[in-house]
Amino acid sequence: GAGVSQSPSNKVTEKGKDVELRCDPISGHTALYWYRQSLGQGLEFLIYFQGNSAPDKSGLPSDRFSAERTGGSVSTLTIQRTQQEDSAVYLCASSLVFSPPSGTLHFGNGTRLTVT
Amino acid sequence: AQTVTQSQPEMSVQEAETVTLSCTYDTSESNYYLFWYKQPPSRQMILVIRQEAYKQQNATENRFSVNFQKAAKSFSLKISDSQLGDTAMYFCAFNEGEYNAGNMLTFGGGTRLMVKP
């Protein structure tokens, strides 16, 4: 597709359930980033991928969060045993390469996750 | 670690008027990039303007311009001739320009701008 695609657009889940959020980056973009935006807050960096590799997972808020990327394309962010504090908009972005930096990221429309 | 601060949670401006959004940052780097992103209700982050720290000239994109004060670590966004479509959240963002940091961005907390008719 022409842009970064995220699905679902909105997700409502019960506390304790697992959820999977999907990101399909721009074709040919080797770098992919996940951010979390809590209500009224800025963007919190979660994790990035270079190809299928995630060199630094320290931004993930807890061990309930995991992410993977297969085939150098689609990425999935999984939250296990969801908690109410996980409610947020999860944004995905991609760039042609990870480095050298130009700072130009292309963002998707995000997934709004609501944990009840 | 770099930090980005936007001190104005909300602002409003009359249509056709000019408004300035503030941003300060903290870094020990000398070469870096600064950005303003716009987030309308659709949630998609849209790049408004980009500034490279080694360039002294302030970046301009149509009605959008920045006032980059490197010594003061200040990076404000000026929107001229405000339009209703400018209503959105605006985020200031920082990229440290180092190879190992790649294209990762650090964002400020955002400023909600309302353009009134």
Side-chain angles (χ1 to χ4, degrees):
Chain A
V4 178
S5 177
Q6 290 188 247
S7 61
S9 179
N10 294 282
K11 175 72 176 178
V12 179
T13 190
E14 293 180 353
K15 178 181 173 181
K17 300 280 191 180
D18 297 352
V19 295
E20 283 190 355
L21 312 180
R22 175 189 168 103
C23 173
D24 198 347
I26 292 173
S27 178
H29 279 197
T30 62
L32 185 147
Y33 314 79
W34 284 99
Y35 285 85
R36 179 170 72 173
Q37 184 180 17
S38 300
L39 184 63
Q41 302 294 313
L43 277 70
E44 172 191 9
F45 172 75
L46 298 179
I47 192 169
Y48 77 91
F49 287 88
Q50 285 182 269
N52 292 334
S53 174
D56 182 4
K57 300 181 180 179
S58 62
L60 295 175
S62 75
D63 58 9
R64 297 185 295 104
F65 287 71
S66 63
E68 65 175 13
R69 188 180 187 196
T70 56
S73 181
V74 172
S75 176
T76 302
L77 178 69
T78 301
I79 309 173
Q80 296 179 311
R81 306 182 302 281
T82 52
Q83 304 294 312
Q84 288 187 331
E85 61 262 29
D86 299 334
S87 295
V89 174
Y90 290 82
L91 288 164
C92 175
S94 69
S95 61
L96 187 61
V97 294
F98 178 73
S99 217
S102 67
T104 303
L105 299 186
H106 302 264
F107 283 86
N109 286 358
T111 294
R112 181 181 299 281
L113 175 66
T114 303
V115 181
T116 61
Chain B
Q2 288 80 13
T3 58
V4 180
T5 302
Q6 294 179 249
S7 59
Q8 305 150 315
E10 293 186 359
M11 294 191 72
S12 64
V13 62
Q14 292 295 132
E15 194 175 7
E17 298 290 310
T18 295
V19 64
T20 299
L21 309 183
S22 300
C23 173
T24 58
Y25 58 93
D26 187 23
T27 184
S28 58
E29 304 291 336
S30 58
N31 292 320
Y32 48 85
Y33 301 92
L34 292 161
F35 307 83
W36 280 97
Y37 276 85
K38 169 185 177 180
Q39 186 183 41
S42 69
R43 298 198 305 247
Q44 186 175 26
M45 299 285 281
I46 301 166
L47 178 63
V48 174
I49 201 164
R50 175 177 180 269
Q51 175 80 42
E52 298 171 47
Y54 65 87
K55 290 186 177 179
Q56 293 188 345
Q57 185 173 7
N58 288 325
T60 300
E61 287 288 340
N62 300 315
R63 298 182 295 107
F64 299 87
S65 62
V66 297
N67 183 6
F68 174 46
Q69 301 289 328
K70 190 172 184 179
K73 296 180 182 175
S74 171
F75 183 63
S76 60
L77 175 70
K78 185 172 82 171
I79 306 174
S80 304
D81 185 25
S82 296
Q83 301 176 0
L84 296 178
D86 295 334
T87 293
M89 282 287 288
Y90 286 81
F91 291 96
C92 179
F94 174 95
N95 172 275
E96 64 180 74
E98 291 294 327
Y99 191 90
N100 289 338
N103 280 303
M104 288 191 292
L105 298 178
T106 300
F107 287 86
T111 296
R112 185 177 302 279
L113 176 67
M114 172 78 72
V115 180
K116 299 179 179 179

